[in-house]
Amino acid sequence: MKQYFKNLLRIMEKALMSIDEDVFERLVDESAKVLQNGNKLIVSGLGKNVPVCDKFVGTMNSFGLNASYMNTNSAVHGDLGMIHSGDLVIILTKSGETAESVYLDELLKKRQCNIWLLTFEKNSTLTKEIKNSLVIDLEHEGDLWNIAPNNSTTLNLIVLQMLAVRLAEEMGVKLEDFKENHPGGHIGQLLK
């Protein structure tokens, strides 16, 4: 067990250190400008990335920052209506080849929104199509076959949570703001 965890920590650290800090900071800056202009951040993903997107949106909402989740499949069934001019959309796809994500990119290009990609493949259809690509170099998924979305979804969560924390800092979110948005549960009791 301990050897598995040691190996996992090594893989995760290597992946996190592979992130281009300048690209991440540009994502933070562009996201902050979107929020300052009264627009919103939208994250879109499929499969195991759905709860990752939900967690990011929940954190943003707790900070009082405007964010929504759009299931990549549901986008073509009316959910594109949530995207307005000036919004920023982050598409999560491990391969950058997922047919639904490629199609979503085509549709988003017809709108006046800022498109970003969070992926694990440097050379893919979407990294060629989306200039704003945050690429994570992942050595292994941590499963028996190096295929199940295990480490990749955890890394997506870490990166998006860091984005939320950085945006709270950039937007000047105070503990009082968080307290107002999170009156319930153990956190609500702690902040009384």
Side-chain angles (χ1 to χ4, degrees):
M1 177 186 80
K2 289 182 182 176
Q3 187 56 45
Y4 175 84
F5 289 139
K6 284 181 185 177
N7 192 43
L8 173 67
L9 290 172
R10 181 190 60 76
I11 289 169
M12 298 298 270
E13 180 179 14
K14 184 178 175 187
L16 290 168
M17 293 303 109
S18 77
I19 296 171
D20 186 321
E21 195 169 350
D22 292 335
V23 174
F24 182 78
E25 286 304 315
R26 192 161 47 83
L27 173 59
V28 172
D29 292 342
E30 290 182 18
S31 298
K33 286 177 186 160
V34 163
L35 295 172
Q36 289 162 352
N37 289 335
N39 292 98
K40 68 180 167 298
L41 268 58
I42 298 161
V43 285
S44 186
L46 293 169
K48 303 304 182 280
N49 279 320
V50 171
V52 171
C53 292
D54 281 340
K55 172 65 171 86
F56 170 72
V57 170
T59 300
M60 291 285 286
N61 289 337
S62 291
F63 291 152
L65 302 175
N66 197 0
S68 297
Y69 166 64
M70 180 179 64
N71 185 291
T72 307
N73 280 332
S74 298
V76 298
H77 296 283
D79 286 0
L80 279 170
M82 76 171 64
I83 301 169
H84 298 102
S85 178
D87 289 343
L88 187 146
V89 180
I90 304 170
I91 300 172
L92 282 69
T93 169
K94 182 182 174 188
S95 67
E97 300 291 344
T98 309
E100 298 90 344
S101 298
V102 171
Y103 184 45
L104 176 60
D105 174 54
E106 291 172 22
L107 297 171
L108 291 175
K109 285 181 176 168
K110 298 175 184 174
R111 295 176 175 253
Q112 299 293 325
C113 64
N114 187 350
I115 308 167
W116 274 80
L117 175 67
L118 181 51
T119 190
F120 294 83
E121 292 295 330
K122 289 182 177 103
N123 299 306
S124 70
T125 299
L126 284 178
T127 53
K128 291 173 189 161
E129 290 293 321
I130 300 174
K131 66 176 179 135
N132 297 318
S133 295
L134 185 65
V135 181
I136 303 171
D137 183 19
L138 178 60
E139 175 186 322
H140 201 278
E141 278 286 10
D143 67 321
L144 298 173
W145 315 280
N146 190 28
I147 197 163
N150 184 31
N151 290 342
S152 58
T153 52
T154 302
L155 287 162
N156 280 340
L157 178 63
I158 291 168
V159 169
L160 288 177
Q161 289 302 110
M162 182 62 187
L163 175 61
V165 169
R166 289 282 287 111
L167 287 172
E169 180 183 25
E170 289 291 314
M171 300 297 290
V173 176
K174 306 278 188 265
L175 183 59
E176 286 301 311
D177 303 319
F178 183 77
K179 178 181 174 181
E180 188 175 311
N181 295 329
H182 204 308
H186 183 67
I187 290 174
Q189 290 297 317
L190 285 175
L191 295 177
K192 274 190 177 178

